[in-house]
Amino acid sequence: MKLKIALLFLIWSYTFGFGQNKTYDLLEAHTETKILYDRVYPVSKAHDLKTQQVSSAYFKQVYHEMQRADFLQRMPQLEFLRQQADQGFSENQIPLSLLINDFEVLRSDALNRNKMQLNSKNQLEFKDFSKDDLIRYSINLLAPILAKTKSNTPEFILKFSGKS
């Protein structure tokens, strides 16, 4: 019984702790890229990337955060990458994935400078918006989406997903 309760608590905390934050939904109109990184919990710290070694797991984390932070939901779900990895494993191929994105992050002092306020629905809105309140970043990552293969001579592939 304790295991079931612990599992339910873990699922609940993951869903609410790492899910999209509705607090930032009113800021969509102020973003140029329509990707506001503050909407998700920054596990990968995409605005401060360490690109010396990009593992499959790290790439998937960055991708998933960008996909969830996108107001327009333009990127395929993470499940698509998992399907491609499974297919590559069965065909002795290592699929590569390329992520090229621009995104924005709120300045850390925007609240302190009294530029923003919380409305009655617990959503942030700008009192006086200027483009300096958002910092724009670019991310360019290429990584295998399959962590290991059963072959000694794998084939690396990069497919076009068909979505733009």
Side-chain angles (χ1 to χ4, degrees), residues 86-133:
D86 291 343
Q87 181 182 353
F89 185 77
S90 65
E91 297 174 3
N92 287 330
Q93 296 176 333
I94 298 180
L96 298 174
S97 189
L98 178 64
L99 177 64
I100 301 172
N101 249 348
D102 290 341
F103 63 96
E104 292 158 300
V105 175
L106 283 171
R107 280 198 178 280
S108 59
D109 63 342
L111 276 172
N112 297 342
R113 291 185 296 141
N114 207 18
K115 301 275 280 178
M116 304 178 82
Q117 65 184 10
L118 277 174
N119 66 13
S120 62
K121 295 180 183 176
N122 202 30
Q123 294 177 317
L124 283 172
E125 54 188 2
F126 281 106
K127 290 181 184 177
D128 179 29
F129 175 73
S130 70
K131 290 190 179 201
D132 294 336
D133 294 329

Side-chain angles (χ1 to χ4, degrees), residues 43-61:
V43 175
S44 69
K45 302 199 183 328
H47 56 289
D48 188 28
L49 277 179
K50 309 287 189 274
T51 56
Q52 268 58 18
Q53 295 179 342
V54 178
S55 68
S56 172
Y58 184 73
F59 179 87
K60 288 177 188 174
Q61 181 65 40

